[in-house]
């Protein structure tokens, strides 16, 4: 366990040393300007509060953000894994502990990025945050009581398919967990690329799958379900506020878990032939 933690700490330290870590701050500022600040202004005008889960859920239901979050993570992993270049380090820890440490780093780092974004989404609208088991008046009553505000800012409100088929805490848990799984998939895919000596190709492939998957969400019809990214959005699983199911939630969870397990098995399989120190 100490060897695994050592690899985890080494990778985290190397990521924190990079100036690319500022991309997270830049992205939060971008979210503030495009979503959180306008949302705060609407709350001020309407005197409505938002449920604590809603800002983050909104971030995960906008096509641009769904693509940008994985892309930022990919950029942060552009030199990953750092420990692969440390010949004597891998010899001391042994390959099996090395790969467990790298996977632990992927799990922890992806969780921390999402946690930072979740806390950031709350911080900027903290004055208008409330705790409810149901959706806030901001999401449910704005269209009726302030139709002009609603019609002028349609992207600042959740789709009816989300509100009709889940409560805030359920949707938050699903959105956070599925985005976390997707980032883990990206990280393990990058690890696989490093193991077979194709880091650049792995990054290009991961970027392409993310960008194409984000486009397929709105233009791919049923074809979009091939891409893991489409499974992150809760509302896509339902036909508006009707009870028709486009794709079961459990199926999406199972699909992403199978990808994680499959990629990890590939990494273990090719680990035997990995050239240390390349």
């Amino acid at each position: 366990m100490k060897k695994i933690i050592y690899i985890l700490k080494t990778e985290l330290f190397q990521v924190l040393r990079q100036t690319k870590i500022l991309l997270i701050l830049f992205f939060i500022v971008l979210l503030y300007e495009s979503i959180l600040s306008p949302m705060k202004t609407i709350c001020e005008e309407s005197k409505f509060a938002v449920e604590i889960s809603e800002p983050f859920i909104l971030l995960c239901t906008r096509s641009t953000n769904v693509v940008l979050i994985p892309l930022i993570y990919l950029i942060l992993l552009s030199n990953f894994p750092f420990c692969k270049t440390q010949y004597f380090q891998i010899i001391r820890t042994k390959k099996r502990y090395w790969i467990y440490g790298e996977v632990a780093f992927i799990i922890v780092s992806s969780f921390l990025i999402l946690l930072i974004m979740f806390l950031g989404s709350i911080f900027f609208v903290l004055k208008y945050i409330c705790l409810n088991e149901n959706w806030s008046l901001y999401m449910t009553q704005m269209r009726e009581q302030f139709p002009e505000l609603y019609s002028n800012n349609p992207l600042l409100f959740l789709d009816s398919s989300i509100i009709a088929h889940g409560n805030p805490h359920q949707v938050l848990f699903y959105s956070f967990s599925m985005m976390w799984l997707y980032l883990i998939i990206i990280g393990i895919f990058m690890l696989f690329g490093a193991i077979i000596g194709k880091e650049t190709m792995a990054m290009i492939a991961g970027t392409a799958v993310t960008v194409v998957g984000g486009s397929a969400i709105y233009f791919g019809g049923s074809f979009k379900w091939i891409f893991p990214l489409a499974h992150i959005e809760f509302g896509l699983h339902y036909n508006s506020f009707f009870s028709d199911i486009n794709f079961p939630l459990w199926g999406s969870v199972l699909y992403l878990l199978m990808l994680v397990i499959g990629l990890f098995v590939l990494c273990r399989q090719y680990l035997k032939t990995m050239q240390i120190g390349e």
Side-chain angles (χ1 to χ4, degrees):
M1 181 59 72
K2 290 182 179 179
K3 295 177 180 179
I4 294 174
I5 294 175
Y6 173 70
I7 296 293
L8 166 63
K9 289 168 60 178
T10 302
E11 292 289 0
L12 281 174
F13 177 72
Q14 291 302 319
V15 169
L16 292 174
R17 285 182 59 189
Q18 300 179 90
T19 55
K20 290 180 289 188
I21 197 73
L22 294 175
L23 279 173
I24 299 176
L25 179 61
F26 172 77
F27 183 61
I28 292 176
V29 172
L30 179 65
L31 293 177
Y32 174 75
E33 293 294 334
S34 61
I35 295 179
L36 300 175
S37 179
M39 176 182 283
K40 181 180 177 181
T41 300
I42 292 176
C43 288
E44 290 174 349
E45 294 183 21
S46 65
K47 307 304 179 184
F48 284 161
V50 293
E51 210 280 328
I52 192 170
S53 307
E54 292 172 352
F56 183 81
I57 295 172
L58 188 64
L59 301 183
C60 290
T61 56
R62 301 277 77 87
S63 58
T64 304
N65 300 331
V66 169
V67 172
L68 283 178
I69 294 173
L71 289 183
I72 289 173
Y73 190 59
L74 269 169
I75 294 173
L76 292 177
L77 295 184
S78 57
N79 295 324
F80 172 78
F82 172 80
C83 292
K84 182 177 184 289
T85 62
Q86 307 303 304
Y87 179 81
F88 294 106
Q89 187 180 73
I90 296 180
I91 290 178
R92 289 197 305 269
T93 58
K94 296 184 180 180
K95 284 184 177 180
R96 68 176 182 273
Y97 294 116
W98 173 81
I99 194 172
Y100 290 141
E102 299 294 355
V103 172
F105 161 74
I106 292 167
I107 293 172
V108 171
S109 62
S110 56
F111 179 84
L112 288 176
I113 286 176
L114 291 179
L115 182 62
I116 290 170
M117 292 182 180
F118 172 69
L119 295 176
S121 69
I122 296 173
F123 176 78
F124 290 111
V125 291
L126 190 59
K127 184 179 178 181
Y128 300 98
I129 288 292
C130 64
L131 290 172
N132 293 323
E133 294 184 1
N134 299 313
W135 299 104
S136 67
L137 296 178
Y138 176 97
M139 291 297 176
T140 58
Q141 298 298 317
M142 189 69 70
R143 186 172 186 176
E144 294 181 6
Q145 298 191 29
F146 300 92
E148 186 174 350
L149 281 177
Y150 183 89
S151 60
N152 290 336
N153 303 277
L155 297 180
L156 300 180
F157 300 92
L158 296 173
D159 296 335
S160 57
S161 55
I162 297 175
I163 294 175
H165 296 284
N167 64 50
H169 301 156
Q170 290 172 340
V171 179
L172 172 65
F173 180 77
Y174 179 86
S175 301
F176 191 100
S177 300
M178 293 297 279
M179 181 61 80
W180 187 19
L181 277 177
Y182 187 76
L183 296 185
I184 291 172
I185 289 170
I186 287 176
I188 297 180
F189 185 71
M190 290 289 289
L191 178 61
F192 176 68
I195 289 173
I196 63 175
K198 303 289 184 182
E199 295 94 331
T200 303
M201 290 299 298
M203 187 165 186
I204 293 173
T207 302
V209 169
T210 298
V211 173
V212 174
S215 301
I217 287 175
Y218 296 99
F219 304 107
S222 298
F223 178 71
K224 66 176 174 285
W225 299 112
I226 295 176
F227 298 94
L229 200 63
H231 297 266
I232 294 174
E233 291 202 34
F234 184 90
L236 290 179
H237 293 77
Y238 300 95
N239 182 10
S240 188
F241 54 83
F242 300 106
S243 59
D244 297 339
I245 298 176
N246 296 325
F247 198 95
L249 294 174
W250 64 264
S252 293
V253 175
L254 181 62
Y255 181 46
L256 266 62
L257 284 175
M258 288 177 62
L259 288 176
V260 170
I261 294 171
L263 285 170
F264 180 72
V265 170
L266 279 176
C267 289
R268 284 295 306 270
Q269 185 66 30
Y270 282 86
L271 185 64
K272 303 171 186 176
T273 58
M274 184 183 77
Q275 298 298 313
I276 300 176
E278 284 191 348

